[in-house]
Amino acid sequence: NAGVTQTPKFQVLKTGQSMTLQCAQDMNHNSMYWYRQDPGMGLRLIYYSASEGTTDKGEVPNGYNVSRLNKREFSLRLESAAPSQTSVYFCASTGAGLEAFFGQGTRLTVV
Amino acid sequence: AQRVTQPEKLLSVFKGAPVELKCNYSYSGSPELFWYVQYSRQRLQLLLRHISRESIKGFTADLNKGETSFHLKKPFAQEEDSAMYYCALSGSNYKLTFGKGTLLTVNP
């Protein structure tokens, strides 16, 4: 009964380095999302995938790319990390009922 | 564009007092509205949704289309209600947008 699983839980990057955050769900959900959570800013949508094979930009897509690898997996890539991307990242998924299930979050620090 | 506004970043009440967390939205169609809660060091979880019209943990929320609001209310706050609360809107193409959140503190 894993739900939504994100890896890694913690990561420290140097400015300019790249990395991919992984997300997988086992609930057969169609839609998946990536958010960043910053103090005072709430949850801001980076990218989402309404269904397998589609991706769309959210509010803050600059500096990020995504891949909906299959129905289960939705990854977020930082090509050249910047200190402004220091944040907590959450992956989520929704099914027909529209209730969102969240991963445990990835705390990313860019130095 | 769809937008969710939570005007209060912080809300502090005493145990037993009523609490109301405000949420206003902007959306041209018929929205699906939710309240999510994040307790300390836990992941976000659904508290309630407007379509079910149910009460969870004593909380209720009514959709007011005229005022485009979906305020969360509880008549008697408990200390265990202390958490971050997010209002969310699911709009076209399953885009799920959250407000900035309100940190509720219930003092003993």
Side-chain angles (χ1 to χ4, degrees):
Chain A
N1 229 12
V4 179
T5 304
Q6 282 180 242
T7 55
K9 290 186 179 180
F10 302 94
Q11 184 72 50
V12 179
L13 291 178
K14 293 182 179 179
T15 298
Q17 285 185 316
S18 62
M19 79 161 294
T20 300
L21 281 66
Q22 307 286 353
C23 176
Q25 52 91 10
D26 61 2
M27 296 171 283
N28 201 36
H29 285 170
N30 284 325
S31 303
M32 297 185 73
Y33 308 82
W34 276 106
Y35 296 90
R36 58 179 291 173
Q37 185 181 43
D38 301 290
M41 301 299 290
L43 284 165
R44 292 184 291 171
L45 183 63
I46 305 171
Y47 272 94
Y48 68 107
S49 171
S51 61
E52 185 180 358
T54 69
T55 59
D56 286 285
K57 294 179 179 179
E59 305 167 59
V60 288
N62 292 344
Y64 305 94
N65 284 300
V66 290
S67 294
R68 184 75 183 266
L69 304 170
N70 46 56
K71 192 170 187 179
R72 290 187 65 248
E73 298 171 287
F74 188 41
S75 63
L76 178 72
R77 183 161 179 82
L78 287 70
E79 290 291 351
S80 179
S84 61
Q85 293 178 305
T86 293
S87 187
V88 180
Y89 292 84
F90 286 97
C91 176
S93 70
T94 61
L98 298 180
E99 176 182 352
F101 290 84
F102 284 84
Q104 78 274 30
T106 297
R107 189 172 294 274
L108 175 67
T109 303
V110 183
V111 298
Chain B
Q2 60 190 67
R3 184 175 299 157
V4 177
T5 302
Q6 293 179 250
E8 305 139 328
K9 286 187 178 180
L10 303 170
L11 184 61
S12 183
V13 301
F14 286 103
K15 177 182 174 181
V19 62
E20 181 180 48
L21 288 80
K22 292 183 168 54
C23 172
N24 290 90
Y25 67 90
S26 174
Y27 184 62
S28 57
S30 292
E32 297 282 347
L33 287 158
F34 307 84
W35 277 98
Y36 284 83
V37 60
Q38 186 178 28
Y39 300 103
S40 180
R41 300 189 180 279
Q42 295 185 26
R43 64 185 75 187
L44 281 89
Q45 57 187 288
L46 179 68
L47 181 61
L48 54 80
R49 67 186 83 187
H50 89 272
I51 198 167
S52 62
R53 301 184 63 81
E54 58 189 343
S55 172
I56 304 294
K57 298 184 179 182
F59 286 97
T60 59
D62 289 319
L63 176 60
N64 186 322
K65 291 186 177 181
E67 296 183 357
T68 61
S69 68
F70 187 55
H71 302 327
L72 183 68
K73 300 177 183 179
K74 185 170 183 177
F76 307 103
Q78 303 299 315
E79 290 181 67
E80 55 265 31
D81 296 329
S82 295
M84 180 70 85
Y85 291 81
Y86 290 97
C87 184
L89 183 156
S90 179
S92 59
N93 201 31
Y94 301 99
K95 185 178 182 181
L96 183 59
T97 302
F98 285 80
K100 292 186 177 182
T102 299
L103 180 61
L104 173 66
T105 302
V106 181
N107 301 296

PDB file of all heavy atoms in Angstrom, chain A residues 52-85:
ATOM      1  N   GLU A  52      -1.475   9.921 -19.149  1.00  0.00           N
ATOM      2  CA  GLU A  52      -0.248   9.382 -19.734  1.00  0.00           C
ATOM      3  C   GLU A  52      -0.062   9.945 -21.134  1.00  0.00           C
ATOM      4  O   GLU A  52      -0.991   9.967 -21.936  1.00  0.00           O
ATOM      5  CB  GLU A  52      -0.352   7.860 -19.776  1.00  0.00           C
ATOM      6  CG  GLU A  52       0.894   7.176 -20.253  1.00  0.00           C
ATOM      7  CD  GLU A  52       0.739   5.664 -20.272  1.00  0.00           C
ATOM      8  OE1 GLU A  52      -0.341   5.175 -19.868  1.00  0.00           O
ATOM      9  OE2 GLU A  52       1.677   4.978 -20.701  1.00  0.00           O
ATOM     10  N   GLY A  53       1.139  10.445 -21.400  1.00  0.00           N
ATOM     11  CA  GLY A  53       1.433  10.978 -22.719  1.00  0.00           C
ATOM     12  C   GLY A  53       1.256  12.475 -22.849  1.00  0.00           C
ATOM     13  O   GLY A  53       1.574  13.051 -23.893  1.00  0.00           O
ATOM     14  N   THR A  54       0.739  13.140 -21.802  1.00  0.00           N
ATOM     15  CA  THR A  54       0.562  14.596 -21.853  1.00  0.00           C
ATOM     16  C   THR A  54       1.222  15.247 -20.644  1.00  0.00           C
ATOM     17  O   THR A  54       1.230  14.689 -19.550  1.00  0.00           O
ATOM     18  CB  THR A  54      -0.929  14.992 -21.851  1.00  0.00           C
ATOM     19  OG1 THR A  54      -1.492  14.698 -20.580  1.00  0.00           O
ATOM     20  CG2 THR A  54      -1.689  14.260 -22.930  1.00  0.00           C
ATOM     21  N   THR A  55       1.793  16.421 -20.870  1.00  0.00           N
ATOM     22  CA  THR A  55       2.311  17.232 -19.768  1.00  0.00           C
ATOM     23  C   THR A  55       1.983  18.694 -20.056  1.00  0.00           C
ATOM     24  O   THR A  55       1.916  19.101 -21.226  1.00  0.00           O
ATOM     25  CB  THR A  55       3.830  17.085 -19.595  1.00  0.00           C
ATOM     26  OG1 THR A  55       4.492  17.480 -20.806  1.00  0.00           O
ATOM     27  CG2 THR A  55       4.219  15.654 -19.252  1.00  0.00           C
ATOM     28  N   ASP A  56       1.779  19.459 -18.985  1.00  0.00           N
ATOM     29  CA  ASP A  56       1.465  20.875 -19.133  1.00  0.00           C
ATOM     30  C   ASP A  56       2.190  21.685 -18.078  1.00  0.00           C
ATOM     31  O   ASP A  56       2.436  21.189 -16.965  1.00  0.00           O
ATOM     32  CB  ASP A  56      -0.042  21.116 -18.987  1.00  0.00           C
ATOM     33  CG  ASP A  56      -0.819  20.656 -20.185  1.00  0.00           C
ATOM     34  OD1 ASP A  56      -0.771  21.352 -21.216  1.00  0.00           O
ATOM     35  OD2 ASP A  56      -1.466  19.593 -20.098  1.00  0.00           O
ATOM     36  N   LYS A  57       2.489  22.930 -18.431  1.00  0.00           N
ATOM     37  CA  LYS A  57       3.150  23.816 -17.488  1.00  0.00           C
ATOM     38  C   LYS A  57       2.167  24.282 -16.426  1.00  0.00           C
ATOM     39  O   LYS A  57       0.980  24.477 -16.689  1.00  0.00           O
ATOM     40  CB  LYS A  57       3.713  25.032 -18.226  1.00  0.00           C
ATOM     41  CG  LYS A  57       4.826  24.708 -19.198  1.00  0.00           C
ATOM     42  CD  LYS A  57       5.300  25.965 -19.903  1.00  0.00           C
ATOM     43  CE  LYS A  57       6.443  25.626 -20.871  1.00  0.00           C
ATOM     44  NZ  LYS A  57       6.923  26.840 -21.596  1.00  0.00           N
ATOM     45  N   GLY A  58       2.716  24.478 -15.236  1.00  0.00           N
ATOM     46  CA  GLY A  58       1.950  25.074 -14.158  1.00  0.00           C
ATOM     47  C   GLY A  58       2.325  26.529 -13.985  1.00  0.00           C
ATOM     48  O   GLY A  58       2.603  27.229 -14.956  1.00  0.00           O
ATOM     49  N   GLU A  59       2.378  26.965 -12.730  1.00  0.00           N
ATOM     50  CA  GLU A  59       2.663  28.374 -12.446  1.00  0.00           C
ATOM     51  C   GLU A  59       4.146  28.722 -12.550  1.00  0.00           C
ATOM     52  O   GLU A  59       4.498  29.837 -12.924  1.00  0.00           O
ATOM     53  CB  GLU A  59       2.221  28.702 -11.015  1.00  0.00           C
ATOM     54  CG  GLU A  59       0.785  28.396 -10.687  1.00  0.00           C
ATOM     55  CD  GLU A  59       0.572  28.463  -9.181  1.00  0.00           C
ATOM     56  OE1 GLU A  59       0.822  29.533  -8.599  1.00  0.00           O
ATOM     57  OE2 GLU A  59       0.168  27.446  -8.589  1.00  0.00           O
ATOM     58  N   VAL A  60       5.017  27.782 -12.188  1.00  0.00           N
ATOM     59  CA  VAL A  60       6.446  28.088 -12.091  1.00  0.00           C
ATOM     60  C   VAL A  60       7.285  27.037 -12.811  1.00  0.00           C
ATOM     61  O   VAL A  60       8.097  26.350 -12.205  1.00  0.00           O
ATOM     62  CB  VAL A  60       6.875  28.226 -10.612  1.00  0.00           C
ATOM     63  CG1 VAL A  60       6.334  29.499  -9.996  1.00  0.00           C
ATOM     64  CG2 VAL A  60       6.445  27.002  -9.796  1.00  0.00           C
ATOM     65  N   PRO A  61       7.150  26.893 -14.134  1.00  0.00           N
ATOM     66  CA  PRO A  61       7.860  25.825 -14.841  1.00  0.00           C
ATOM     67  C   PRO A  61       9.316  26.120 -15.203  1.00  0.00           C
ATOM     68  O   PRO A  61      10.062  25.196 -15.539  1.00  0.00           O
ATOM     69  CB  PRO A  61       7.019  25.689 -16.116  1.00  0.00           C
ATOM     70  CG  PRO A  61       6.531  27.094 -16.369  1.00  0.00           C
ATOM     71  CD  PRO A  61       6.267  27.660 -15.000  1.00  0.00           C
ATOM     72  N   ASN A  62       9.714  27.401 -15.147  1.00  0.00           N
ATOM     73  CA  ASN A  62      11.045  27.750 -15.627  1.00  0.00           C
ATOM     74  C   ASN A  62      12.140  27.069 -14.819  1.00  0.00           C
ATOM     75  O   ASN A  62      12.146  27.107 -13.593  1.00  0.00           O
ATOM     76  CB  ASN A  62      11.241  29.272 -15.584  1.00  0.00           C
ATOM     77  CG  ASN A  62      10.371  29.979 -16.597  1.00  0.00           C
ATOM     78  OD1 ASN A  62       9.851  29.364 -17.523  1.00  0.00           O
ATOM     79  ND2 ASN A  62      10.175  31.267 -16.414  1.00  0.00           N
ATOM     80  N   GLY A  63      13.081  26.454 -15.535  1.00  0.00           N
ATOM     81  CA  GLY A  63      14.197  25.772 -14.893  1.00  0.00           C
ATOM     82  C   GLY A  63      13.939  24.297 -14.645  1.00  0.00           C
ATOM     83  O   GLY A  63      14.811  23.609 -14.108  1.00  0.00           O
ATOM     84  N   TYR A  64      12.765  23.830 -15.052  1.00  0.00           N
ATOM     85  CA  TYR A  64      12.387  22.435 -14.821  1.00  0.00           C
ATOM     86  C   TYR A  64      11.911  21.784 -16.119  1.00  0.00           C
ATOM     87  O   TYR A  64      11.396  22.457 -17.012  1.00  0.00           O
ATOM     88  CB  TYR A  64      11.242  22.337 -13.806  1.00  0.00           C
ATOM     89  CG  TYR A  64      11.481  23.005 -12.486  1.00  0.00           C
ATOM     90  CD1 TYR A  64      11.046  24.312 -12.255  1.00  0.00           C
ATOM     91  CD2 TYR A  64      12.133  22.339 -11.457  1.00  0.00           C
ATOM     92  CE1 TYR A  64      11.255  24.938 -11.041  1.00  0.00           C
ATOM     93  CE2 TYR A  64      12.343  22.951 -10.231  1.00  0.00           C
ATOM     94  CZ  TYR A  64      11.905  24.249 -10.029  1.00  0.00           C
ATOM     95  OH  TYR A  64      12.114  24.859  -8.824  1.00  0.00           O
ATOM     96  N   ASN A  65      12.068  20.468 -16.169  1.00  0.00           N
ATOM     97  CA  ASN A  65      11.464  19.662 -17.225  1.00  0.00           C
ATOM     98  C   ASN A  65      10.856  18.428 -16.582  1.00  0.00           C
ATOM     99  O   ASN A  65      11.273  18.014 -15.490  1.00  0.00           O
ATOM    100  CB  ASN A  65      12.513  19.231 -18.264  1.00  0.00           C
ATOM    101  CG  ASN A  65      12.879  20.380 -19.178  1.00  0.00           C
ATOM    102  OD1 ASN A  65      12.031  20.931 -19.873  1.00  0.00           O
ATOM    103  ND2 ASN A  65      14.139  20.768 -19.156  1.00  0.00           N
ATOM    104  N   VAL A  66       9.886  17.840 -17.259  1.00  0.00           N
ATOM    105  CA  VAL A  66       9.240  16.655 -16.714  1.00  0.00           C
ATOM    106  C   VAL A  66       9.130  15.586 -17.800  1.00  0.00           C
ATOM    107  O   VAL A  66       9.186  15.879 -18.997  1.00  0.00           O
ATOM    108  CB  VAL A  66       7.820  16.947 -16.170  1.00  0.00           C
ATOM    109  CG1 VAL A  66       7.880  17.781 -14.897  1.00  0.00           C
ATOM    110  CG2 VAL A  66       6.955  17.615 -17.231  1.00  0.00           C
ATOM    111  N   SER A  67       8.952  14.366 -17.308  1.00  0.00           N
ATOM    112  CA  SER A  67       8.713  13.231 -18.205  1.00  0.00           C
ATOM    113  C   SER A  67       7.660  12.337 -17.572  1.00  0.00           C
ATOM    114  O   SER A  67       7.825  11.920 -16.417  1.00  0.00           O
ATOM    115  CB  SER A  67       9.997  12.429 -18.427  1.00  0.00           C
ATOM    116  OG  SER A  67      10.959  13.175 -19.109  1.00  0.00           O
ATOM    117  N   ARG A  68       6.592  12.090 -18.327  1.00  0.00           N
ATOM    118  CA  ARG A  68       5.617  11.076 -17.867  1.00  0.00           C
ATOM    119  C   ARG A  68       6.036   9.790 -18.549  1.00  0.00           C
ATOM    120  O   ARG A  68       5.676   9.498 -19.681  1.00  0.00           O
ATOM    121  CB  ARG A  68       4.198  11.496 -18.277  1.00  0.00           C
ATOM    122  CG  ARG A  68       3.127  10.539 -17.757  1.00  0.00           C
ATOM    123  CD  ARG A  68       2.887  10.719 -16.286  1.00  0.00           C
ATOM    124  NE  ARG A  68       1.932   9.771 -15.754  1.00  0.00           N
ATOM    125  CZ  ARG A  68       0.626  10.006 -15.618  1.00  0.00           C
ATOM    126  NH1 ARG A  68       0.124  11.176 -15.987  1.00  0.00           N
ATOM    127  NH2 ARG A  68      -0.161   9.088 -15.098  1.00  0.00           N
ATOM    128  N   LEU A  69       6.800   9.022 -17.835  1.00  0.00           N
ATOM    129  CA  LEU A  69       7.452   7.834 -18.395  1.00  0.00           C
ATOM    130  C   LEU A  69       6.428   6.760 -18.744  1.00  0.00           C
ATOM    131  O   LEU A  69       6.571   6.045 -19.740  1.00  0.00           O
ATOM    132  CB  LEU A  69       8.467   7.299 -17.400  1.00  0.00           C
ATOM    133  CG  LEU A  69       9.528   8.328 -16.952  1.00  0.00           C
ATOM    134  CD1 LEU A  69      10.332   7.793 -15.783  1.00  0.00           C
ATOM    135  CD2 LEU A  69      10.438   8.683 -18.126  1.00  0.00           C
ATOM    136  N   ASN A  70       5.440   6.633 -17.926  1.00  0.00           N
ATOM    137  CA  ASN A  70       4.338   5.676 -18.133  1.00  0.00           C
ATOM    138  C   ASN A  70       3.231   6.115 -17.187  1.00  0.00           C
ATOM    139  O   ASN A  70       3.320   7.192 -16.568  1.00  0.00           O
ATOM    140  CB  ASN A  70       4.787   4.241 -17.860  1.00  0.00           C
ATOM    141  CG  ASN A  70       5.573   4.127 -16.568  1.00  0.00           C
ATOM    142  OD1 ASN A  70       5.065   4.527 -15.516  1.00  0.00           O
ATOM    143  ND2 ASN A  70       6.793   3.630 -16.641  1.00  0.00           N
ATOM    144  N   LYS A  71       2.203   5.321 -17.028  1.00  0.00           N
ATOM    145  CA  LYS A  71       1.099   5.768 -16.179  1.00  0.00           C
ATOM    146  C   LYS A  71       1.531   5.894 -14.725  1.00  0.00           C
ATOM    147  O   LYS A  71       1.025   6.733 -13.985  1.00  0.00           O
ATOM    148  CB  LYS A  71      -0.075   4.784 -16.288  1.00  0.00           C
ATOM    149  CG  LYS A  71      -1.361   5.315 -15.679  1.00  0.00           C
ATOM    150  CD  LYS A  71      -2.542   4.437 -16.007  1.00  0.00           C
ATOM    151  CE  LYS A  71      -3.820   5.091 -15.515  1.00  0.00           C
ATOM    152  NZ  LYS A  71      -5.021   4.287 -15.838  1.00  0.00           N
ATOM    153  N   ARG A  72       2.484   5.123 -14.293  1.00  0.00           N
ATOM    154  CA  ARG A  72       2.894   5.110 -12.891  1.00  0.00           C
ATOM    155  C   ARG A  72       3.887   6.203 -12.534  1.00  0.00           C
ATOM    156  O   ARG A  72       3.899   6.674 -11.407  1.00  0.00           O
ATOM    157  CB  ARG A  72       3.547   3.767 -12.551  1.00  0.00           C
ATOM    158  CG  ARG A  72       2.647   2.572 -12.505  1.00  0.00           C
ATOM    159  CD  ARG A  72       3.411   1.351 -11.990  1.00  0.00           C
ATOM    160  NE  ARG A  72       3.841   1.520 -10.612  1.00  0.00           N
ATOM    161  CZ  ARG A  72       5.102   1.651 -10.227  1.00  0.00           C
ATOM    162  NH1 ARG A  72       6.084   1.661 -11.127  1.00  0.00           N
ATOM    163  NH2 ARG A  72       5.405   1.775  -8.957  1.00  0.00           N
ATOM    164  N   GLU A  73       4.735   6.595 -13.467  1.00  0.00           N
ATOM    165  CA  GLU A  73       5.900   7.394 -13.112  1.00  0.00           C
ATOM    166  C   GLU A  73       5.913   8.772 -13.759  1.00  0.00           C
ATOM    167  O   GLU A  73       5.611   8.920 -14.960  1.00  0.00           O
ATOM    168  CB  GLU A  73       7.171   6.638 -13.506  1.00  0.00           C
ATOM    169  CG  GLU A  73       7.338   5.311 -12.793  1.00  0.00           C
ATOM    170  CD  GLU A  73       8.488   4.503 -13.366  1.00  0.00           C
ATOM    171  OE1 GLU A  73       8.347   3.974 -14.487  1.00  0.00           O
ATOM    172  OE2 GLU A  73       9.518   4.426 -12.692  1.00  0.00           O
ATOM    173  N   PHE A  74       6.331   9.757 -12.966  1.00  0.00           N
ATOM    174  CA  PHE A  74       6.368  11.146 -13.431  1.00  0.00           C
ATOM    175  C   PHE A  74       7.595  11.790 -12.794  1.00  0.00           C
ATOM    176  O   PHE A  74       7.621  12.012 -11.590  1.00  0.00           O
ATOM    177  CB  PHE A  74       5.090  11.853 -13.000  1.00  0.00           C
ATOM    178  CG  PHE A  74       4.892  13.224 -13.565  1.00  0.00           C
ATOM    179  CD1 PHE A  74       5.194  13.533 -14.879  1.00  0.00           C
ATOM    180  CD2 PHE A  74       4.343  14.232 -12.771  1.00  0.00           C
ATOM    181  CE1 PHE A  74       4.983  14.795 -15.395  1.00  0.00           C
ATOM    182  CE2 PHE A  74       4.111  15.509 -13.283  1.00  0.00           C
ATOM    183  CZ  PHE A  74       4.439  15.794 -14.595  1.00  0.00           C
ATOM    184  N   SER A  75       8.600  12.066 -13.600  1.00  0.00           N
ATOM    185  CA  SER A  75       9.856  12.579 -13.051  1.00  0.00           C
ATOM    186  C   SER A  75      10.010  14.061 -13.327  1.00  0.00           C
ATOM    187  O   SER A  75       9.483  14.598 -14.308  1.00  0.00           O
ATOM    188  CB  SER A  75      11.041  11.807 -13.639  1.00  0.00           C
ATOM    189  OG  SER A  75      11.108  12.005 -15.049  1.00  0.00           O
ATOM    190  N   LEU A  76      10.767  14.712 -12.444  1.00  0.00           N
ATOM    191  CA  LEU A  76      11.043  16.152 -12.541  1.00  0.00           C
ATOM    192  C   LEU A  76      12.546  16.341 -12.640  1.00  0.00           C
ATOM    193  O   LEU A  76      13.289  15.843 -11.794  1.00  0.00           O
ATOM    194  CB  LEU A  76      10.510  16.878 -11.301  1.00  0.00           C
ATOM    195  CG  LEU A  76      10.770  18.377 -11.223  1.00  0.00           C
ATOM    196  CD1 LEU A  76       9.894  19.122 -12.233  1.00  0.00           C
ATOM    197  CD2 LEU A  76      10.483  18.891  -9.801  1.00  0.00           C
ATOM    198  N   ARG A  77      12.994  17.061 -13.640  1.00  0.00           N
ATOM    199  CA  ARG A  77      14.430  17.243 -13.854  1.00  0.00           C
ATOM    200  C   ARG A  77      14.820  18.709 -13.735  1.00  0.00           C
ATOM    201  O   ARG A  77      14.154  19.593 -14.301  1.00  0.00           O
ATOM    202  CB  ARG A  77      14.850  16.701 -15.216  1.00  0.00           C
ATOM    203  CG  ARG A  77      16.359  16.808 -15.459  1.00  0.00           C
ATOM    204  CD  ARG A  77      16.841  15.902 -16.538  1.00  0.00           C
ATOM    205  NE  ARG A  77      18.271  16.049 -16.771  1.00  0.00           N
ATOM    206  CZ  ARG A  77      19.224  15.442 -16.038  1.00  0.00           C
ATOM    207  NH1 ARG A  77      18.883  14.653 -15.044  1.00  0.00           N
ATOM    208  NH2 ARG A  77      20.499  15.618 -16.328  1.00  0.00           N
ATOM    209  N   LEU A  78      15.901  18.915 -12.992  1.00  0.00           N
ATOM    210  CA  LEU A  78      16.543  20.225 -12.924  1.00  0.00           C
ATOM    211  C   LEU A  78      17.821  20.126 -13.746  1.00  0.00           C
ATOM    212  O   LEU A  78      18.731  19.373 -13.400  1.00  0.00           O
ATOM    213  CB  LEU A  78      16.893  20.605 -11.485  1.00  0.00           C
ATOM    214  CG  LEU A  78      15.760  21.002 -10.549  1.00  0.00           C
ATOM    215  CD1 LEU A  78      14.875  19.812 -10.183  1.00  0.00           C
ATOM    216  CD2 LEU A  78      16.325  21.654  -9.297  1.00  0.00           C
ATOM    217  N   GLU A  79      17.881  20.833 -14.849  1.00  0.00           N
ATOM    218  CA  GLU A  79      19.029  20.715 -15.752  1.00  0.00           C
ATOM    219  C   GLU A  79      20.266  21.432 -15.216  1.00  0.00           C
ATOM    220  O   GLU A  79      21.377  20.959 -15.357  1.00  0.00           O
ATOM    221  CB  GLU A  79      18.667  21.275 -17.126  1.00  0.00           C
ATOM    222  CG  GLU A  79      17.672  20.430 -17.896  1.00  0.00           C
ATOM    223  CD  GLU A  79      18.247  19.096 -18.359  1.00  0.00           C
ATOM    224  OE1 GLU A  79      19.475  18.887 -18.227  1.00  0.00           O
ATOM    225  OE2 GLU A  79      17.471  18.246 -18.840  1.00  0.00           O
ATOM    226  N   SER A  80      20.059  22.596 -14.612  1.00  0.00           N
ATOM    227  CA  SER A  80      21.165  23.386 -14.081  1.00  0.00           C
ATOM    228  C   SER A  80      20.656  24.083 -12.820  1.00  0.00           C
ATOM    229  O   SER A  80      20.063  25.157 -12.890  1.00  0.00           O
ATOM    230  CB  SER A  80      21.624  24.403 -15.113  1.00  0.00           C
ATOM    231  OG  SER A  80      22.692  25.197 -14.602  1.00  0.00           O
ATOM    232  N   ALA A  81      20.872  23.420 -11.688  1.00  0.00           N
ATOM    233  CA  ALA A  81      20.258  23.890 -10.448  1.00  0.00           C
ATOM    234  C   ALA A  81      20.746  25.282 -10.042  1.00  0.00           C
ATOM    235  O   ALA A  81      21.929  25.626 -10.216  1.00  0.00           O
ATOM    236  CB  ALA A  81      20.534  22.896  -9.338  1.00  0.00           C
ATOM    237  N   ALA A  82      19.818  26.046  -9.484  1.00  0.00           N
ATOM    238  CA  ALA A  82      20.117  27.394  -8.992  1.00  0.00           C
ATOM    239  C   ALA A  82      19.658  27.498  -7.539  1.00  0.00           C
ATOM    240  O   ALA A  82      18.729  26.780  -7.129  1.00  0.00           O
ATOM    241  CB  ALA A  82      19.380  28.432  -9.840  1.00  0.00           C
ATOM    242  N   PRO A  83      20.287  28.372  -6.754  1.00  0.00           N
ATOM    243  CA  PRO A  83      19.871  28.517  -5.346  1.00  0.00           C
ATOM    244  C   PRO A  83      18.383  28.828  -5.189  1.00  0.00           C
ATOM    245  O   PRO A  83      17.779  28.431  -4.184  1.00  0.00           O
ATOM    246  CB  PRO A  83      20.746  29.683  -4.857  1.00  0.00           C
ATOM    247  CG  PRO A  83      21.979  29.585  -5.695  1.00  0.00           C
ATOM    248  CD  PRO A  83      21.497  29.158  -7.060  1.00  0.00           C
ATOM    249  N   SER A  84      17.784  29.496  -6.167  1.00  0.00           N
ATOM    250  CA  SER A  84      16.348  29.808  -6.095  1.00  0.00           C
ATOM    251  C   SER A  84      15.478  28.554  -6.161  1.00  0.00           C
ATOM    252  O   SER A  84      14.271  28.620  -5.881  1.00  0.00           O
ATOM    253  CB  SER A  84      15.951  30.758  -7.227  1.00  0.00           C
ATOM    254  OG  SER A  84      16.202  30.156  -8.488  1.00  0.00           O
ATOM    255  N   GLN A  85      16.067  27.435  -6.523  1.00  0.00           N
ATOM    256  CA  GLN A  85      15.321  26.181  -6.584  1.00  0.00           C
ATOM    257  C   GLN A  85      15.407  25.382  -5.282  1.00  0.00           C
ATOM    258  O   GLN A  85      14.877  24.276  -5.190  1.00  0.00           O
ATOM    259  CB  GLN A  85      15.808  25.338  -7.771  1.00  0.00           C
ATOM    260  CG  GLN A  85      15.476  25.990  -9.106  1.00  0.00           C
ATOM    261  CD  GLN A  85      15.982  25.202 -10.292  1.00  0.00           C
ATOM    262  OE1 GLN A  85      17.177  24.892 -10.392  1.00  0.00           O
ATOM    263  NE2 GLN A  85      15.087  24.885 -11.219  1.00  0.00           N
TER     264      GLN A  85
END
